[in-house]
Structure formats: C-alpha cells, structure tokens
Amino acid sequence: MRGTISSERYITILEQFVSTQLDLEDRPRIEWFIHDGSRPHRAEKVFRFLVEFFENKVTALDYPKFTGTGMDWPPYSPDLTPCDYFLWGALKDIVYGNHPSTLDELELAISLACNSISVETLKDVMSNFILRLRNHISSNSEHFENIVF
C-alpha cells in the first residue's frame, strides 16, 4: 500500500486482516492482537475497532487507558514483535544493498528479500517470538530488559 497510513487506511488493513482470520477454518483464531504505538494505531476509531473484534486481548500503547482492558505495550520494549526484532533489520541490509531508486524497484527488492528468508530462520524467529510473549505476559506488561533472547 503506497502513501501515508492514516487511521482510516489502517482500519481498512485491519478489516482485511480480520476477514482473512475469520475465513481460516483450518487454523486457530488469533488469541491476542499486538500492534505498536504509531500514531494511526492509537486513534480512537482504531481502538473501537479492536474492542469489537479482539475485546480485551490486545497489546498496544494506550489501549488499556482507552478501554480499561488489554495490556499496554511494554515500556522501553519496542522489539516485541518479529517485524521489530528481526524482519526490518534483515530486510534493510538486503534491500538497500541494491540501492533501489524508484518505488517499483524498492517493492521488487522487498519482495525478493522476503522470499530469500529460509523457512528454518522463520521457525527460529517464531520460537523466539513465543518466548518474548511468555515473558511479556509473565512480567504483566512491565519492562523485561534483562531477559536474553
């Protein structure tokens, strides 16, 4: 999706995500929804959408203040999700190593870089993600910097 992501565009993305999750009959539904604290994610209409579909099973900056439920994003812990602690860094090195000069070249470089990540690497990343989530829950959404991942 090209262009700036506003709260309205973000809700459209969330609607697509939710409809995909509802269509997956052979997989368990998402138990918790996690997103970071970027401005479009913290709009009132986004929180209302999340309340409707995920109720109290949301980890997000300011979500508990708005809804009274869910878990706040851990303070000083921006690297909770696989995109934050793995994907962005891995893609950056590969994508920008090719010096794309147009949006089309950038999109192609991102696609190629994503496809170059092995299944074994993704399994390791997801195992680490599960460990991070367990520590997030057991710390009651507090900072857990001394845990080695």
Side-chain angles (χ1 to χ4, degrees), residues 38-122:
S38 68
R39 188 161 286 171
H41 294 180
R42 295 180 7 236
E44 182 176 333
K45 55 186 126 191
V46 171
F47 284 159
R48 290 193 193 290
F49 179 90
L50 294 174
V51 166
E52 181 180 343
F53 287 97
F54 300 103
E55 298 170 349
N56 65 336
K57 294 192 173 198
V58 175
T59 295
L61 185 62
D62 294 334
Y63 188 78
K65 289 179 199 169
F66 179 80
T67 65
T69 65
M71 293 181 83
D72 210 354
W73 190 264
Y76 311 108
S77 301
D79 296 337
L80 184 61
T81 69
C83 290
D84 293 325
Y85 70 82
F86 167 74
L87 187 62
W88 303 140
L91 292 182
K92 181 181 171 189
D93 294 341
I94 297 168
V95 169
Y96 290 109
N98 295 324
H99 307 290
S101 58
T102 67
L103 279 177
D104 289 336
E105 288 176 5
L106 180 61
E107 285 179 358
L108 178 61
I110 292 169
S111 293
L112 292 173
C114 286
N115 289 331
S116 74
I117 300 170
S118 72
V119 171
E120 198 59 42
T121 297
L122 293 175

